Amino acid sequence: MVEYSYQQKIAMMRILLDIIHADGYIDAREQHFFNELKQLFDLEEADHESVKECNSLLALLQIREFSEEQKMGFALYMSKMIVVDGDINDNEVAIYNVVNEFCSLHKEFTDNIPEEELKGYSHS
């Protein structure tokens, strides 16, 4: 697993939380994946407050400074968050695209997702 500092984990979780909220509906599968990532990153429930208080723009500045390996890992987490609820929402993809462009991830959302999960999605 790619290593991230505590602040990097908080920044990533902030952006993932933005993706969860982007479609106006919080699905149980999104919550479950978010909680799995909190465990993976060894974040406590109290750290969720730090995530909520983190400014998304400042989080982007932190992510922009990630190593290429860290960026690839984060791009995968974002892509998984977008498809985990079975609905690829344009607002969620728009957030991915902003992060991709601003942080120079060099990885399209669709690069991380198996073809069968992208049925009906047209990338423009």
Side-chain angles (χ1 to χ4, degrees), residues 1-122:
M1 181 177 116
V2 178
E3 294 294 320
Y4 297 97
S5 72
Y6 176 78
Q7 288 303 320
Q8 289 173 324
K9 293 173 187 177
I10 296 298
M12 288 189 300
M13 297 301 278
R14 173 69 254 177
I15 300 302
L16 293 171
L17 196 58
D18 290 340
I19 290 172
I20 290 171
H21 289 274
D23 63 1
Y25 176 73
I26 301 172
D27 186 89
R29 293 168 288 191
E30 291 171 324
Q31 288 178 319
H32 180 74
F33 183 56
F34 190 83
N35 289 331
E36 283 181 349
L37 289 175
K38 282 194 327 191
Q39 286 182 337
L40 178 69
F41 294 150
D42 199 28
L43 296 174
E44 302 293 327
E45 196 56 41
D47 295 318
H48 191 72
E49 284 304 312
S50 296
V51 171
K52 290 192 311 188
E53 291 172 3
C54 181
N55 180 291
S56 297
L57 296 175
L58 295 177
L60 282 176
L61 288 173
Q62 287 181 307
I63 293 165
R64 188 179 198 176
E65 299 303 316
F66 281 12
S67 71
E68 289 304 312
E69 184 181 28
Q70 289 172 322
K71 288 178 181 181
M72 292 303 100
F74 182 54
L76 181 59
Y77 296 139
M78 285 193 300
S79 293
K80 286 183 177 181
M81 185 60 78
I82 290 169
V83 300
V84 74
D85 63 356
D87 175 42
I88 299 173
N89 181 274
D90 289 339
N91 291 337
E92 294 171 337
V93 175
I95 291 172
Y96 182 99
N97 290 337
V98 166
V99 175
N100 184 24
E101 185 174 334
F102 183 78
C103 298
S104 302
L105 301 181
H106 309 293
K107 192 107 171 144
E108 294 298 320
F109 153 69
T110 53
D111 294 344
N112 293 316
I113 305 302
E115 191 66 36
E116 62 272 6
E117 291 187 48
L118 292 171
K119 288 181 184 152
Y121 174 73
S122 62

